[in-house]
Amino acid sequence: MRPYVSRALAASERFALPGSATHPLPLLMYSPSGYFARVVATAIEQSAQPLAGYRAFESEMTDVLGDLAQQGMGMAWLPDSSFVAGRLGELVPVGDGAWDVEVAIVAWRARLNARPAVARLWERIGADALPA
């Protein structure tokens, strides 16, 4: 996951990372109860530079935050998977990696589980998985 803004916002004088007390950045954040909210909090906490921003909008859905970022409403942390099929093409990553977080998803299943639905799901997961 990394922070993104619209091309227009990145080029404007309104946007300068990491923001300041006099010019805080509009942040498009995940709702506090969601997993990605904790991931973003980790990115902000681990950065060498303090981020000065305010919560301009909250949502549990990545698509909503991506759409708002694309409209120039602020900065959103988005997973790389948000950009499949050319979606969100007007967004650019910002921060030179300072606020990026690597996220891994791991799946397990019981070897002895022979239910057809589980087998189909496992095959699908395996087909889409990146090599370790």
Side-chain angles (χ1 to χ4, degrees), residues 12-124:
S12 79
E13 293 179 16
R14 298 184 308 149
F15 185 82
L17 269 172
S20 67
T22 56
H23 289 77
L25 301 175
L27 304 177
L28 306 171
M29 303 295 280
Y30 291 95
S31 300
S33 61
Y35 172 73
F36 281 158
R38 292 186 295 278
V39 172
V40 172
T42 299
I44 293 170
E45 291 166 6
Q46 291 181 353
S47 175
Q49 295 179 306
L51 182 65
Y54 63 94
R55 286 179 176 266
F57 189 83
E58 280 184 9
S59 176
E60 292 181 2
M61 298 179 64
T62 296
D63 288 349
V64 171
L65 298 179
D67 289 344
L68 290 171
Q70 192 159 259
Q71 294 173 29
M73 303 301 289
M75 183 171 73
W77 275 260
L78 304 169
D80 293 340
S81 61
S82 298
F83 296 87
V84 295
R87 190 173 179 323
L88 302 177
E90 288 302 309
L91 295 179
V92 294
V94 293
D96 298 324
W99 289 283
D100 294 5
V101 176
E102 193 73 30
V103 177
I105 298 173
V106 180
W108 286 273
R109 73 172 174 98
R111 289 185 189 196
L112 299 177
N113 189 333
R115 289 186 290 180
V118 173
R120 285 191 305 275
L121 177 61
W122 194 251
E123 285 177 28
R124 178 65 191 261

